[in-house]
Amino acid sequence: DAGITQSPRHKVTETGTPVTLRCHQTENHRYMYWYRQDPGHGLRLIHYSYGVKDTDKGEVSDGYSVSRSKTEDFLLTLESATSSQTSVYFCAISRDSRTDTQYFGPGTRLTVL
Amino acid sequence: DQQVKQNSPSLSVQEGRISILNCDYTNSMFDYFLWYKKYPAEGPTFLISISSIKDKNEDGRFTVFLNKSAKHLSLHIVPSQPGDSAVYFCAASGGSTGGSTLGRLYFGRGTQLTVWP
């Protein structure tokens, strides 16, 4: 299994509070991704990173920001959490080229009350 | 707009028989396809992939078939086992524009496979 950890694994928070989710990898892979999984939607890309300090938006990026200051860490921040951001969040990594397989972390279940 | 579609939300198969999971896509620029398996409370696990230059790829009990003209792929599991019970996601990449080489994955909504004894 690829060395990917996510923290926290579960979080309950209130509307309007900031939340930061962390993804940590030990594989030294260049690409990192944040997805959310919701019933009836499969997995949808929020943001991705193609190197340290290099990030870009995915298809559902509104309300989220990311940062990558080190190869191994990719942070996802909800500046002001809303109930619509209640979801399961998965981090993924891939080594390099665009045909490389993405490997996923165990997920973070976030509930916004 | 869903570019990768899995039209069957669930499939139930008896142990030992073949499971066939289907996936359709709309973007003709997709050139790499993957299947992931997901158990509850875990992240998706990579299962098998296929490049658009092939029409079949096999790995043990798992075979993926690609029909580019029909924009259709399928995953065959033979023989099916109770441990195969999971949600299976089809994903596709390619079709990037603007010079990006990032392999963004587009996922279907998943098919819940149940293999019963």
Side-chain angles (χ1 to χ4, degrees), chain A residues 9 31 33 35 37 40-43 45 48-50 57-59 90 97-107, chain B residues 2 31-32 34 36 38 41-44 46 49 89 93-96 100-110:
Chain A
R9 293 293 314 277
Y31 292 97
Y33 314 80
Y35 290 87
Q37 184 195 8
H41 287 279
L43 286 91
L45 182 66
Y48 61 92
S49 170
Y50 47 96
K57 296 178 180 180
E59 56 184 308
F90 291 102
S97 72
R98 67 186 183 95
T99 57
D100 271 359
T101 300
Q102 292 184 23
Y103 296 95
F104 285 80
Chain B
Q2 198 87 7
D31 58 7
Y32 188 59
L34 309 91
Y36 285 85
K38 186 182 179 306
E42 295 184 10
F46 169 71
S49 63
F89 288 101
S93 75
S96 57
S100 169
T101 59
L102 179 67
R104 292 178 54 171
L105 286 181
Y106 295 85
F107 283 84
R109 295 177 178 175

Side-chain angles (χ1 to χ4, degrees), chain A residues 13-17 19 21 35-39 41-42 44 46 60-64 76 78-89 108-113:
Chain A
T13 191
E14 294 187 350
T15 298
T17 59
V19 176
L21 309 182
Y35 290 87
R36 59 179 289 175
Q37 184 195 8
D38 304 289
H41 287 279
R44 293 179 292 173
I46 306 171
V60 289
S61 59
D62 287 350
Y64 302 95
L76 177 70
L78 292 65
E79 300 290 347
S80 178
T82 67
S83 58
S84 65
Q85 294 175 311
T86 292
S87 187
V88 181
Y89 292 85
T108 294
R109 181 173 292 278
L110 175 67
T111 302
V112 183
L113 302 176

Side-chain angles (χ1 to χ4, degrees), chain B residues 13-104:
Chain B
V13 171
Q14 188 175 24
E15 181 179 6
R17 296 191 176 264
I18 185 171
S19 294
I20 301 176
L21 296 97
N22 294 303
C23 178
D24 298 294
Y25 61 96
T26 57
N27 189 336
S28 58
M29 296 295 288
F30 285 148
D31 58 7
Y32 188 59
F33 304 89
L34 309 91
W35 285 94
Y36 285 85
K37 178 171 72 173
K38 186 182 179 306
Y39 294 118
E42 295 184 10
T45 302
F46 169 71
L47 199 55
I48 192 169
S49 63
I50 186 167
S51 165
S52 60
I53 62 173
K54 295 186 175 182
D55 54 19
K56 176 183 174 181
N57 189 26
E58 234 175 312
D59 184 1
R61 296 186 297 113
F62 303 91
T63 303
V64 56
F65 295 91
L66 175 62
N67 182 335
K68 284 181 291 183
S69 61
K71 296 191 182 67
H72 177 84
L73 64 156
S74 60
L75 174 67
H76 293 212
I77 306 173
V78 183
S80 301
Q81 300 173 354
D84 296 330
S85 296
V87 176
Y88 288 78
F89 288 101
C90 171
S93 75
S96 57
T97 59
S100 169
T101 59
L102 179 67
R104 292 178 54 171

Side-chain angles (χ1 to χ4, degrees), chain A residues 17-36:
Chain A
T17 59
V19 176
T20 296
L21 309 182
R22 180 183 184 235
C23 177
H24 179 77
Q25 59 141 331
T26 58
E27 306 296 319
N28 201 36
H29 282 8
R30 179 181 174 189
Y31 292 97
M32 298 186 76
Y33 314 80
W34 277 106
Y35 290 87
R36 59 179 289 175

